[in-house]
């Protein structure tokens, strides 16, 4: 769960949720639009969007080599496990929080 302002702008939502998979676990097909940007950490990120509706589908970054972040909402699965890590809490909307039983594994910043 990322609360950074850039993710809020990118998604149009107050929080971005992602699941990371090893690159070899995924098969990526179809067209996508790209948006590369540099995170505050200095790491490069490349977001890939559906060219029709503009929804973020997945992204890769220097900060997590070998992994692909997939936007959980794209899976349209209400039973997908809840997030276990929250980052950029300093820009979190106060009413957005992890489930109460989430282990305390929060990271101040990431990118
Ligand atoms: Zn973010």
């Amino acid at each position: 769960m990322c609360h950074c302002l850039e993710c809020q702008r990118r998604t149009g939502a107050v929080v971005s949720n992602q699941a990371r998979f090893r690159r070899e676990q995924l098969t990526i097909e179809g067209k996508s639009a790209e948006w590369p940007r540099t995170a505050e950490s200095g790491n490069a990120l490349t977001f890939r969007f559906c060219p029709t509706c503009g929804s973020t589908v997945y992204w890769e970054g220097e900060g997590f080599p070998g992994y692909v972040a997939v936007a959980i909402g794209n899976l349209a699965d209400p039973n997908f496990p809840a997030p276990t890590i929250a980052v950029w809490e300093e820009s979190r909307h106060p009413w957005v929080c992890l489930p109460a039983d989430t282990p305390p594994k929060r990271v101040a910043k990431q990118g």
Side-chain angles (χ1 to χ4, degrees):
M1 177 183 288
C2 183
H3 303 286
C4 85
L5 297 178
E6 288 302 319
C7 281
Q8 292 184 34
R9 291 185 183 105
R10 175 179 55 79
T11 62
V14 297
V15 65
S16 166
N17 288 295
Q18 61 181 271
R20 291 185 184 175
F21 298 91
R22 293 210 52 83
R23 183 69 181 80
E24 61 270 18
Q25 292 178 286
L26 299 175
T27 301
I28 298 170
E29 299 177 344
K31 295 178 184 175
S32 63
E34 277 188 12
W35 180 50
R37 73 171 179 88
T38 303
E40 191 170 300
S41 64
N43 290 326
L45 294 164
T46 302
F47 294 89
R48 292 189 175 80
F49 301 84
C50 170
T52 302
C53 75
S55 178
T56 308
V57 181
Y58 68 97
W59 60 100
E60 296 170 279
E62 289 178 337
F64 46 97
Y67 286 84
V68 177
V70 177
I72 294 173
N74 284 302
L75 302 176
D77 178 4
N79 295 312
F80 196 86
T84 56
I85 299 172
V87 296
W88 288 94
E89 295 234 337
E90 64 269 33
S91 49
R92 176 176 62 85
H93 288 238
W95 50 269
V96 175
C97 56
L98 291 168
D101 58 347
T102 302
K105 187 177 180 183
R106 296 191 161 128
V107 180
K109 294 181 177 179
Q110 193 177 47

